[in-house]
C-alpha cells in the first residue's frame, strides 16, 4: 500500500491542513540533511525502494547521460541544498533554482496554495532564493564531498531589483558564478511572478540574453530556454528561431500558466478568495493539455531537431508517455510529485517500460515523437 497517498497526504492536506510553504520548507530541510550523509542507511533504503534502473530508459543527450527521463523541475530545490539526494529518490536528473544574481526574499506570504479539487497548485513565490554566490559556494563544497550521479541543471532568473533593460547582464553575472557547477543551464524568462519578466520572451530581449550567455559559455554547456504556456504560436516560433540561431540545447515547455480556465476550486481556504482573484501561476493537472500542445508544436516546427523537456501536469506513466510521444525527450515533475508522493517516479518508470513493450519499442528514445512517426498529425 502507498502509505503517502492513503495516510500521510490526507493527514497533512485535510486534517492538519498544514501550510503549503511550511511543508515544503520542512521537506527540503530533511532532504538537505540526507544530502549531507549520502551513504547513510536511510539513503540506501530510499534507493532500494524508489529507484528503478533499466537500460531501456537511458538516453545520452547533449553530451550528458540520463539514467531515466524523469527529472525534478526547478522550484523545489531553489538553493541547491539537496543536490546529492535527488538520484536516491529515483530521478534521472534534477534542476536547481530558480536562482538570481541578487539574493531576494520573494513575494510576501501566503504565496503557495494547494488546489486539491484541481490536482493543482497556485504559486507566486517570486524567485525567493539566497542568490547565485551562495549557491555557487554550496555546490562547490558539495562537489568536494560527492559528485551527483545524475545530471544537475541550474535554472537562472532575473533579480527583481534589476531593470528589464539590464536583464542580460544580470543573467550573465549569475552564469559566471555557476557555469562550472551545473551540467546544463536554463534561462527562465517565463515565470509570471516577477514583474515584467515574461516580456523577456520577446525575440529582441531574449536575443540579448542568449547572445551574452553563449559568448561566455566557452565550455559549451547545454543552455535551454523555459517558455510560458500562454504564448501564442507566432511567439513560440520566434523562440524556436532564436534557439537555432544561438545553438541552444533545447526548450523547456512549459512554465506555470496565468490561465484560470476550467478550475473547479471556487475559494482558496487560506485567503477566502477565488483563484481568479489571486495572482500567480497555476501548475499541475490544469496545465497538462496545454503544455503537451506546445511540445507538439515545437516538435512539428523543428522536425524533432531541437530537444524538448516537457513539464506540466504529469501524475502518471500515461501522462509522461503522452508528452514523450508528443516530442519530449525528457520530462519533469513537481506538483504531481507533491500529490502522488515519493513512489511516483518509480511508478512512472515502471509504467513507461510496460508501454515500451506494448508498442514494440526497445528504448525510450524510440518513443520520442512517436505520434508523429505513426500518423500525419497536424496541429
Amino acid at each position: 500500500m502507498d502509505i503517502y497517498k492513503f495516510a500521510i497526504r490526507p493527514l497533512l492536506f485535510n486534517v492538519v491542513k498544514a501550510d503549503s510553504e511550511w511543508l515544503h520548507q520542512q521537506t527540503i530541510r530533511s532532504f538537505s540533511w540526507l544530502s549531507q550523509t549520502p551513504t547513510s542507511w536511510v539513503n540506501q533504503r530510499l534507493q532500494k525502494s524508489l529507484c528503478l534502473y533499466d537500460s531501456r530508459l537511458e538516453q545520452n543527450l547533449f553530451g550528458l547521460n540520463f539514467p531515466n527521463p524523469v527529472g525534478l523541475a526547478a522550484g523545489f530545490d531553489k538553493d541547491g541544498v539537496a543536490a546529492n539526494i535527488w538520484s536516491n529518490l529515483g530521478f534521472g536528473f534534477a534542476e536547481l533554482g530558480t536562482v538570481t544574481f541578487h539574493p531576494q526574499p520573494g513575494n510576501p506570504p501566503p504565496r503557495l496554495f494547494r488546489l486539491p479539487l484541481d490536482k493543482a497548485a497556485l504559486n507566486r513565490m517570486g524567485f525567493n532564493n539566497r542568490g547565485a554566490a551562495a549557491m555557487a559556494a554550496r555546490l562547490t563544497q558539495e562537489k568536494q564531498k560527492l559528485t551527483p550521479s545524475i545530471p544537475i541543471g541550474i535554472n537562472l532568473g532575473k533579480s527583481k531589483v534589476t531593470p528589464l533593460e539590464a536583464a542580460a547582464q544580470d543573467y550573465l553575472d549569475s552564469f559566471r558564478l555557476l557555469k562550472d557547477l551545473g551540467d546544463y543551464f536554463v534561462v527562465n524568462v517565463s515565470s509570471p511572478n516577477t514583474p515584467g519578466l515574461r516580456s523577456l520572451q520577446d525575440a529582441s530581449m531574449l536575443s540579448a540574453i542568449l547572445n551574452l550567455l553563449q559568448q561566455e559559455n566557452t565550455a559549451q554547456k547545454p543552455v535551454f530556454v523555459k517558455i510560458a504556456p500562454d504564448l501564442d504560436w507566432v511567439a513560440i516560433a520566434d523562440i524556436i528561431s532564436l534557439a537555432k540561431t544561438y545553438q541552444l540545447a533545447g526548450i523547456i515547455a512549459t512554465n506555470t500558466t496565468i490561465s484560470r480556465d476550467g478550475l473547479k476550486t471556487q475559494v482558496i481556504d487560506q485567503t477566502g478568495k477565488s483563484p481568479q482573484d489571486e495572482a500567480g501561476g497555476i501548475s499541475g493537472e490544469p496545465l497538462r493539455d496545454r503544455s503537451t500542445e506546445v511540445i507538439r508544436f515545437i516538435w512539428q516546427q523543428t522536425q524533432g531537431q531541437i530537444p524538448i523537456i516537457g513539464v506540466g501536469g504529469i501524475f502518471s506513466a500515461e501522462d509522461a508517455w503522452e508528452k514523450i510521444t508528443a516530442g519530449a525527450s525528457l520530462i519533469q515533475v513537481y506538483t504531481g510529485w507533491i500529490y502522488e508522493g515519493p513512489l511516483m517516479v518509480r511508478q512512472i518508470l515502471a509504467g513507461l517500460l510496460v508501454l515500451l513493450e506494448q508498442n514494440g519499442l526497445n528504448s525510450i528514445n524510440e518513443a520520442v515523437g512517436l505520434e508523429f512517426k505513426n500518423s500525419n498529425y497536424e496541429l
Side-chain angles (χ1 to χ4, degrees), residues 305-376:
Q305 295 305 301
I306 292 181
I308 304 163
I309 300 177
V311 54
I314 298 170
F315 288 73
S316 67
E318 289 71 26
D319 296 336
W321 183 256
E322 183 179 50
K323 281 187 166 43
I324 291 167
T325 57
S329 295
L330 301 167
I331 57 166
Q332 292 178 326
V333 297
Y334 183 158
T335 305
W337 198 55
I338 301 302
Y339 277 92
E340 298 299 303
L343 281 172
M344 187 187 84
V345 176
R346 186 187 178 103
Q347 290 165 349
I348 287 177
L349 296 176
L352 288 176
L353 289 172
V354 171
L355 287 162
L356 284 176
E357 289 177 7
Q358 289 175 352
N359 286 271
L361 304 177
N362 297 313
S363 73
I364 199 69
N365 189 56
E366 293 177 14
V368 177
L370 186 65
E371 69 176 53
F372 288 94
K373 300 167 189 174
N374 287 347
S375 69
N376 295 317

Side-chain angles (χ1 to χ4, degrees), residues 72-76 95-98 123 127 154-156 171 184-192 197-198 200-201 206 210 223-229 231 239 243 248 250-256 283 287 294 298 309-312 332-334:
L72 178 74
F76 200 96
E95 195 170 302
L96 311 179
T98 297
N123 98 80
F127 291 167
I154 299 178
N155 187 296
L156 306 175
Y171 282 95
Y184 72 88
F185 289 84
V186 181
V187 178
N188 185 346
V189 286
S190 50
S191 168
L197 185 80
R198 285 189 167 194
L200 297 177
Q201 293 174 114
L206 184 55
L210 298 177
V223 175
F224 287 76
V225 63
K226 186 170 186 176
I227 64 173
L231 292 174
I239 290 173
L248 298 189
I251 296 172
I252 299 184
T254 63
N255 213 317
T256 57
S283 60
L287 181 60
V294 174
I298 297 169
I309 300 177
V311 54
Q332 292 178 326
V333 297
Y334 183 158

